[in-house]
Amino acid sequence: MKKAIMYGGGNIGRGFIAQLFCLSGWETVFVDVNTALVDDMNTRHEYPIFITGAEDYERFTVTNVRAVCGSVPAGGLRRGTTGAELSVRLKLYPQLCGVARRGAAGL
């Protein structure tokens, strides 16, 4: 299974981009500094999203997900990663770039 790295597990990353990876058959690996989010992803390996319409909504379950803590150097971001997407708040960008740089050095 191909893997995609998602830097940041916020609304855009979890609510839209990871859904596209899921529909394409990819595993999504989130990198986030929120340890509660990381723990939840690694416990459930899926989560629901709700796509709203004019009068109703559709529930979709995003599957094949896991996470690594962005404050741990290269926390599992190594061989086998074939795609990446970026969705982070500006203030976290420098910290996550350091993690990505250290992870890429191990490829």
Side-chain angles (χ1 to χ4, degrees), residues 2-3 5-6 12 16-17 26 30 39 42 44-45 49 55 59 64-66 74 83-84 87 94 100:
K2 293 183 179 181
K3 297 177 188 172
I5 300 173
M6 174 65 65
I12 294 172
F16 173 65
I17 304 296
W26 290 43
F30 288 92
D39 291 343
N42 290 328
R44 298 186 311 149
H45 300 284
I49 60 171
E55 297 180 18
R59 179 187 168 116
N64 296 319
V65 297
R66 63 185 174 98
S87 173

Side-chain angles (χ1 to χ4, degrees), residues 15-16 19 23 48-62:
F16 173 65
Q19 177 194 19
L23 289 169
I49 60 171
F50 299 91
I51 303 163
T52 58
E55 297 180 18
D56 59 355
Y57 66 89
E58 175 187 344
R59 179 187 168 116
F60 181 87
T61 301
V62 178

Side-chain angles (χ1 to χ4, degrees), residues 70-83:
S71 60
V72 177
L77 306 178
R78 296 210 183 268
R79 296 184 194 283
T81 301
T82 57

Side-chain angles (χ1 to χ4, degrees), residues 1-48:
M1 175 178 286
K2 293 183 179 181
K3 297 177 188 172
I5 300 173
M6 174 65 65
Y7 294 98
N11 291 335
I12 294 172
R14 282 184 295 148
F16 173 65
I17 304 296
Q19 177 194 19
L20 297 177
F21 289 141
C22 176
L23 289 169
S24 298
W26 290 43
E27 174 188 27
T28 303
V29 181
F30 288 92
V31 181
D32 204 283
V33 296
N34 180 335
T35 56
L37 176 69
V38 170
D39 291 343
D40 186 55
M41 291 276 181
N42 290 328
T43 299
R44 298 186 311 149
H45 300 284
E46 66 180 31
Y47 59 89

